[in-house]
Amino acid sequence: MNRIKLTHFFTFYNRLGGVESLLKRHLASDSNWGLDSDLVAFFESALKDSPKTSGVGLTWRDSVLSARSGTRRCMEGKAPEVAVYHNFWGLPFLGDLDRASRRIALLHSGWPGMQHTLEAQRGLVDGVLCVSDVLERQVREWMPELPAERVKILPYPIADSPCKTVHAPLAGRPMVLGFSGRVVKAQKRIDRLPRLIAMLDRAGLDYRFEILGEGADQAWLHRRLGGNPRVRMHGRKSGDEYWKTLGGWDVILFTSDYEGLPISMLEAFSLGILPVYPRIDSGGDGYTTRVRPDLLYAPDDFEHVAEVLKALHSAPRETIDELRERARGLARAHQGDAYLRVFSEFTRQIVDLPRISASEFPVRPFYWSDCLPFGVMRRLFYRGFYRRNDGGFSRS
């Protein structure tokens, strides 16, 4: 098997998050599948403890100009056969610097304005991997130039829990609810948790609510919920401590505005934990309805959430056990080596197919938005992230 040199590109590496955990998995295991991988993390500095990584060192005060300068420096001496852009970040204004023979994008999540993002990448990639059927459908709709064999679903991987989990009957005890992920208002919408918990109190549910994770808004959340005796904030856990904490839950709740297919949901499923999830047209929607349709709720409809939880709490044990087994069954497809096997097979397939991504780029013209700090551009001129060397925002 010929070995392939591959460079992953993403914003971060050392933060808590599903994409970051997958990047660590890639760097640890890609070589077992014939891929010699390294990583360029745009918003990290030098990562001395990770020899396969390099950091551009950007902050939100940097701009496209400084990002191009830093990326050019990181790519000196490199000539990867394949460049993998996770969530497409930076590709429109950095693609001419990666020196790769093929480009693949790996979509981990949806987000507002997804159509504009995908249209801006047309002609820049040779293939796209998607972690859910919803994302695959959007790619096929908004990047119609890609033939069917160049777009594929990639099953998100989960590890096996090292801790044995046994759920006691719900009758006669508090139902243990949990939130797992980055404690931030953007995307994860942890600012909705106080309203959710207030509704559970009004509904008279006997419960305990646990929050597992850390993030920029955890101090805000602690001020709002820290005095509630039914709420416990664990902070960040890893290894056995993470699995032991997760395994103590009956239900995992999500309040997000957008997702791809949350890894925390799949990990919870593997332990027989039931989901309560918002209807946001993501991969998690379908997985939730396959456990039980009424576990999916309209965003902000916390009255429905309270009613469903009360119904679960009073349901016969046999009903709950059946739902837990459905969840475990959905998780099984994501255990083992399926993720890395599909990733490596798709990478080799793209290498064997003719190149269709741009290989020659015009000199990048002067754009005033290239001088804007990312933090300013994100608020005032988001389309600046899509400006390409060919003089437009997209090829569509």
Side-chain angles (χ1 to χ4, degrees), residues 35-65:
L35 307 176
D36 295 329
S37 294
D38 59 17
L39 166 77
V40 172
F42 297 119
F43 288 85
E44 303 269 12
S45 298
L47 302 168
K48 296 180 181 178
D49 58 336
S50 305
K52 293 183 179 181
T53 64
S54 55
V56 180
L58 303 177
T59 72
W60 292 109
R61 292 185 293 274
D62 278 287
S63 65
V64 168
L65 283 178

mmCIF file of all heavy atoms in Angstrom, residues 35-65:
data_model
loop_
_atom_site.group_PDB
_atom_site.id
_atom_site.type_symbol
_atom_site.label_atom_id
_atom_site.label_comp_id
_atom_site.label_asym_id
_atom_site.label_seq_id
_atom_site.Cartn_x
_atom_site.Cartn_y
_atom_site.Cartn_z
ATOM 1 N N LEU A 35 -1.357 6.654 5.908
ATOM 2 C CA LEU A 35 -1.384 8.105 5.727
ATOM 3 C C LEU A 35 -0.366 8.745 6.648
ATOM 4 O O LEU A 35 -0.429 8.584 7.868
ATOM 5 C CB LEU A 35 -2.780 8.659 6.037
ATOM 6 C CG LEU A 35 -3.954 8.009 5.290
ATOM 7 C CD1 LEU A 35 -5.271 8.593 5.776
ATOM 8 C CD2 LEU A 35 -3.812 8.188 3.779
ATOM 9 N N ASP A 36 0.594 9.454 6.080
ATOM 10 C CA ASP A 36 1.599 10.164 6.875
ATOM 11 C C ASP A 36 1.099 11.591 7.096
ATOM 12 O O ASP A 36 1.271 12.472 6.245
ATOM 13 C CB ASP A 36 2.948 10.166 6.151
ATOM 14 C CG ASP A 36 3.516 8.762 6.014
ATOM 15 O OD1 ASP A 36 3.251 7.934 6.901
ATOM 16 O OD2 ASP A 36 4.208 8.488 5.018
ATOM 17 N N SER A 37 0.452 11.801 8.239
ATOM 18 C CA SER A 37 -0.284 13.037 8.471
ATOM 19 C C SER A 37 0.456 14.005 9.371
ATOM 20 O O SER A 37 1.177 13.612 10.287
ATOM 21 C CB SER A 37 -1.645 12.720 9.114
ATOM 22 O OG SER A 37 -2.464 12.003 8.230
ATOM 23 N N ASP A 38 0.229 15.286 9.106
ATOM 24 C CA ASP A 38 0.574 16.335 10.050
ATOM 25 C C ASP A 38 -0.579 17.333 10.066
ATOM 26 O O ASP A 38 -1.600 17.138 9.400
ATOM 27 C CB ASP A 38 1.916 16.997 9.713
ATOM 28 C CG ASP A 38 1.954 17.631 8.330
ATOM 29 O OD1 ASP A 38 0.865 17.860 7.735
ATOM 30 O OD2 ASP A 38 3.045 17.914 7.830
ATOM 31 N N LEU A 39 -0.426 18.392 10.853
ATOM 32 C CA LEU A 39 -1.529 19.327 11.064
ATOM 33 C C LEU A 39 -1.021 20.751 11.090
ATOM 34 O O LEU A 39 0.034 21.038 11.677
ATOM 35 C CB LEU A 39 -2.228 19.027 12.402
ATOM 36 C CG LEU A 39 -3.184 20.095 12.942
ATOM 37 C CD1 LEU A 39 -4.512 20.057 12.201
ATOM 38 C CD2 LEU A 39 -3.416 19.917 14.436
ATOM 39 N N VAL A 40 -1.774 21.648 10.466
ATOM 40 C CA VAL A 40 -1.567 23.083 10.613
ATOM 41 C C VAL A 40 -2.788 23.642 11.335
ATOM 42 O O VAL A 40 -3.920 23.519 10.848
ATOM 43 C CB VAL A 40 -1.395 23.777 9.239
ATOM 44 C CG1 VAL A 40 -1.376 25.298 9.419
ATOM 45 C CG2 VAL A 40 -0.121 23.312 8.559
ATOM 46 N N ALA A 41 -2.560 24.208 12.522
ATOM 47 C CA ALA A 41 -3.628 24.807 13.329
ATOM 48 C C ALA A 41 -3.504 26.324 13.223
ATOM 49 O O ALA A 41 -2.504 26.892 13.666
ATOM 50 C CB ALA A 41 -3.526 24.355 14.781
ATOM 51 N N PHE A 42 -4.486 26.956 12.637
ATOM 52 C CA PHE A 42 -4.370 28.382 12.330
ATOM 53 C C PHE A 42 -4.319 29.257 13.580
ATOM 54 O O PHE A 42 -3.552 30.220 13.639
ATOM 55 C CB PHE A 42 -5.533 28.822 11.442
ATOM 56 C CG PHE A 42 -5.558 28.160 10.100
ATOM 57 C CD1 PHE A 42 -6.634 27.370 9.711
ATOM 58 C CD2 PHE A 42 -4.506 28.306 9.212
ATOM 59 C CE1 PHE A 42 -6.668 26.750 8.479
ATOM 60 C CE2 PHE A 42 -4.511 27.689 7.970
ATOM 61 C CZ PHE A 42 -5.606 26.916 7.606
ATOM 62 N N PHE A 43 -5.116 28.936 14.592
ATOM 63 C CA PHE A 43 -5.210 29.807 15.766
ATOM 64 C C PHE A 43 -4.495 29.223 16.981
ATOM 65 O O PHE A 43 -4.898 29.452 18.121
ATOM 66 C CB PHE A 43 -6.679 30.108 16.087
ATOM 67 C CG PHE A 43 -7.315 31.035 15.083
ATOM 68 C CD1 PHE A 43 -7.857 30.539 13.916
ATOM 69 C CD2 PHE A 43 -7.326 32.403 15.292
ATOM 70 C CE1 PHE A 43 -8.426 31.383 12.975
ATOM 71 C CE2 PHE A 43 -7.893 33.265 14.361
ATOM 72 C CZ PHE A 43 -8.445 32.750 13.192
ATOM 73 N N GLU A 44 -3.438 28.474 16.741
ATOM 74 C CA GLU A 44 -2.565 27.973 17.808
ATOM 75 C C GLU A 44 -1.168 28.514 17.549
ATOM 76 O O GLU A 44 -0.772 28.744 16.402
ATOM 77 C CB GLU A 44 -2.506 26.445 17.814
ATOM 78 C CG GLU A 44 -3.848 25.759 17.964
ATOM 79 C CD GLU A 44 -4.209 25.495 19.406
ATOM 80 O OE1 GLU A 44 -3.528 26.044 20.298
ATOM 81 O OE2 GLU A 44 -5.170 24.740 19.631
ATOM 82 N N SER A 45 -0.405 28.683 18.624
ATOM 83 C CA SER A 45 1.007 29.019 18.485
ATOM 84 C C SER A 45 1.802 27.727 18.333
ATOM 85 O O SER A 45 1.218 26.648 18.179
ATOM 86 C CB SER A 45 1.474 29.819 19.705
ATOM 87 O OG SER A 45 0.761 31.045 19.787
ATOM 88 N N ALA A 46 3.114 27.819 18.392
ATOM 89 C CA ALA A 46 3.959 26.631 18.248
ATOM 90 C C ALA A 46 3.552 25.573 19.266
ATOM 91 O O ALA A 46 3.382 25.869 20.448
ATOM 92 C CB ALA A 46 5.424 27.003 18.438
ATOM 93 N N LEU A 47 3.376 24.339 18.807
ATOM 94 C CA LEU A 47 2.922 23.246 19.657
ATOM 95 C C LEU A 47 4.090 22.289 19.885
ATOM 96 O O LEU A 47 4.231 21.269 19.223
ATOM 97 C CB LEU A 47 1.736 22.536 19.006
ATOM 98 C CG LEU A 47 0.533 23.446 18.707
ATOM 99 C CD1 LEU A 47 -0.474 22.757 17.808
ATOM 100 C CD2 LEU A 47 -0.147 23.882 19.995
ATOM 101 N N LYS A 48 4.945 22.645 20.840
ATOM 102 C CA LYS A 48 6.200 21.916 21.025
ATOM 103 C C LYS A 48 5.977 20.478 21.473
ATOM 104 O O LYS A 48 6.787 19.607 21.196
ATOM 105 C CB LYS A 48 7.074 22.657 22.045
ATOM 106 C CG LYS A 48 7.504 24.049 21.574
ATOM 107 C CD LYS A 48 8.361 24.738 22.624
ATOM 108 C CE LYS A 48 8.768 26.128 22.156
ATOM 109 N NZ LYS A 48 9.571 26.842 23.173
ATOM 110 N N ASP A 49 4.852 20.227 22.185
ATOM 111 C CA ASP A 49 4.603 18.873 22.669
ATOM 112 C C ASP A 49 3.941 17.997 21.611
ATOM 113 O O ASP A 49 3.640 16.840 21.865
ATOM 114 C CB ASP A 49 3.737 18.906 23.927
ATOM 115 C CG ASP A 49 2.403 19.603 23.684
ATOM 116 O OD1 ASP A 49 2.334 20.415 22.745
ATOM 117 O OD2 ASP A 49 1.451 19.337 24.441
ATOM 118 N N SER A 50 3.688 18.555 20.444
ATOM 119 C CA SER A 50 3.037 17.805 19.367
ATOM 120 C C SER A 50 3.873 17.936 18.100
ATOM 121 O O SER A 50 3.658 18.838 17.290
ATOM 122 C CB SER A 50 1.620 18.342 19.132
ATOM 123 O OG SER A 50 0.860 18.322 20.330
ATOM 124 N N PRO A 51 4.836 17.044 17.895
ATOM 125 C CA PRO A 51 5.777 17.204 16.777
ATOM 126 C C PRO A 51 5.130 17.152 15.407
ATOM 127 O O PRO A 51 5.712 17.635 14.433
ATOM 128 C CB PRO A 51 6.745 16.033 16.982
ATOM 129 C CG PRO A 51 6.020 15.053 17.846
ATOM 130 C CD PRO A 51 5.133 15.858 18.722
ATOM 131 N N LYS A 52 3.925 16.587 15.285
ATOM 132 C CA LYS A 52 3.271 16.517 13.989
ATOM 133 C C LYS A 52 2.432 17.756 13.692
ATOM 134 O O LYS A 52 1.761 17.815 12.665
ATOM 135 C CB LYS A 52 2.366 15.284 13.920
ATOM 136 C CG LYS A 52 3.115 13.950 13.949
ATOM 137 C CD LYS A 52 2.143 12.791 13.815
ATOM 138 C CE LYS A 52 2.861 11.447 13.814
ATOM 139 N NZ LYS A 52 1.903 10.322 13.669
ATOM 140 N N THR A 53 2.465 18.741 14.576
ATOM 141 C CA THR A 53 1.631 19.915 14.382
ATOM 142 C C THR A 53 2.478 21.167 14.272
ATOM 143 O O THR A 53 3.582 21.254 14.798
ATOM 144 C CB THR A 53 0.666 20.098 15.558
ATOM 145 O OG1 THR A 53 1.404 20.361 16.750
ATOM 146 C CG2 THR A 53 -0.187 18.860 15.768
ATOM 147 N N SER A 54 1.939 22.147 13.566
ATOM 148 C CA SER A 54 2.532 23.475 13.534
ATOM 149 C C SER A 54 1.414 24.487 13.672
ATOM 150 O O SER A 54 0.300 24.271 13.185
ATOM 151 C CB SER A 54 3.314 23.699 12.234
ATOM 152 O OG SER A 54 2.498 23.464 11.100
ATOM 153 N N GLY A 55 1.697 25.583 14.358
ATOM 154 C CA GLY A 55 0.687 26.588 14.610
ATOM 155 C C GLY A 55 1.007 27.885 13.896
ATOM 156 O O GLY A 55 2.140 28.375 13.968
ATOM 157 N N VAL A 56 0.026 28.446 13.209
ATOM 158 C CA VAL A 56 0.215 29.733 12.540
ATOM 159 C C VAL A 56 0.248 30.860 13.568
ATOM 160 O O VAL A 56 0.897 31.873 13.367
ATOM 161 C CB VAL A 56 -0.890 29.961 11.492
ATOM 162 C CG1 VAL A 56 -0.713 31.305 10.786
ATOM 163 C CG2 VAL A 56 -0.897 28.825 10.465
ATOM 164 N N GLY A 57 -0.454 30.675 14.691
ATOM 165 C CA GLY A 57 -0.406 31.656 15.775
ATOM 166 C C GLY A 57 -1.338 32.841 15.603
ATOM 167 O O GLY A 57 -1.103 33.914 16.164
ATOM 168 N N LEU A 58 -2.419 32.672 14.853
ATOM 169 C CA LEU A 58 -3.347 33.775 14.625
ATOM 170 C C LEU A 58 -4.206 34.043 15.855
ATOM 171 O O LEU A 58 -4.415 33.167 16.700
ATOM 172 C CB LEU A 58 -4.270 33.455 13.441
ATOM 173 C CG LEU A 58 -3.611 33.138 12.096
ATOM 174 C CD1 LEU A 58 -4.673 32.778 11.063
ATOM 175 C CD2 LEU A 58 -2.776 34.322 11.613
ATOM 176 N N THR A 59 -4.715 35.259 15.934
ATOM 177 C CA THR A 59 -5.775 35.621 16.868
ATOM 178 C C THR A 59 -6.859 36.309 16.046
ATOM 179 O O THR A 59 -6.688 36.549 14.839
ATOM 180 C CB THR A 59 -5.283 36.576 17.968
ATOM 181 O OG1 THR A 59 -5.054 37.873 17.401
ATOM 182 C CG2 THR A 59 -3.982 36.073 18.600
ATOM 183 N N TRP A 60 -7.964 36.656 16.694
ATOM 184 C CA TRP A 60 -9.030 37.343 15.962
ATOM 185 C C TRP A 60 -8.662 38.786 15.636
ATOM 186 O O TRP A 60 -9.397 39.485 14.958
ATOM 187 C CB TRP A 60 -10.342 37.262 16.739
ATOM 188 C CG TRP A 60 -10.840 35.851 16.768
ATOM 189 C CD1 TRP A 60 -10.876 35.014 17.842
ATOM 190 C CD2 TRP A 60 -11.325 35.090 15.660
ATOM 191 N NE1 TRP A 60 -11.354 33.775 17.473
ATOM 192 C CE2 TRP A 60 -11.639 33.800 16.132
ATOM 193 C CE3 TRP A 60 -11.516 35.372 14.305
ATOM 194 C CZ2 TRP A 60 -12.136 32.802 15.305
ATOM 195 C CZ3 TRP A 60 -12.024 34.369 13.482
ATOM 196 C CH2 TRP A 60 -12.335 33.103 13.988
ATOM 197 N N ARG A 61 -7.468 39.232 16.097
ATOM 198 C CA ARG A 61 -6.960 40.539 15.681
ATOM 199 C C ARG A 61 -6.194 40.441 14.356
ATOM 200 O O ARG A 61 -5.860 41.454 13.762
ATOM 201 C CB ARG A 61 -6.051 41.121 16.766
ATOM 202 C CG ARG A 61 -6.791 41.488 18.045
ATOM 203 C CD ARG A 61 -5.868 42.180 19.039
ATOM 204 N NE ARG A 61 -4.835 41.276 19.532
ATOM 205 C CZ ARG A 61 -4.996 40.456 20.566
ATOM 206 N NH1 ARG A 61 -6.164 40.415 21.196
ATOM 207 N NH2 ARG A 61 -4.014 39.669 20.964
ATOM 208 N N ASP A 62 -5.897 39.214 13.915
ATOM 209 C CA ASP A 62 -5.195 39.031 12.644
ATOM 210 C C ASP A 62 -6.156 39.171 11.474
ATOM 211 O O ASP A 62 -7.378 39.303 11.657
ATOM 212 C CB ASP A 62 -4.518 37.656 12.621
ATOM 213 C CG ASP A 62 -3.196 37.656 13.348
ATOM 214 O OD1 ASP A 62 -2.234 38.217 12.803
ATOM 215 O OD2 ASP A 62 -3.127 37.111 14.471
ATOM 216 N N SER A 63 -5.604 39.112 10.288
ATOM 217 C CA SER A 63 -6.371 39.341 9.062
ATOM 218 C C SER A 63 -6.011 38.282 8.026
ATOM 219 O O SER A 63 -5.128 37.437 8.242
ATOM 220 C CB SER A 63 -6.047 40.726 8.514
ATOM 221 O OG SER A 63 -4.672 40.775 8.110
ATOM 222 N N VAL A 64 -6.694 38.353 6.882
ATOM 223 C CA VAL A 64 -6.350 37.457 5.773
ATOM 224 C C VAL A 64 -4.893 37.644 5.371
ATOM 225 O O VAL A 64 -4.179 36.669 5.098
ATOM 226 C CB VAL A 64 -7.285 37.711 4.575
ATOM 227 C CG1 VAL A 64 -6.769 37.001 3.318
ATOM 228 C CG2 VAL A 64 -8.700 37.241 4.891
ATOM 229 N N LEU A 65 -4.417 38.874 5.358
ATOM 230 C CA LEU A 65 -3.025 39.124 4.982
ATOM 231 C C LEU A 65 -2.060 38.406 5.912
ATOM 232 O O LEU A 65 -1.122 37.738 5.461
ATOM 233 C CB LEU A 65 -2.739 40.625 4.989
ATOM 234 C CG LEU A 65 -3.256 41.437 3.798
ATOM 235 C CD1 LEU A 65 -2.920 42.915 3.987
ATOM 236 C CD2 LEU A 65 -2.635 40.926 2.492
#
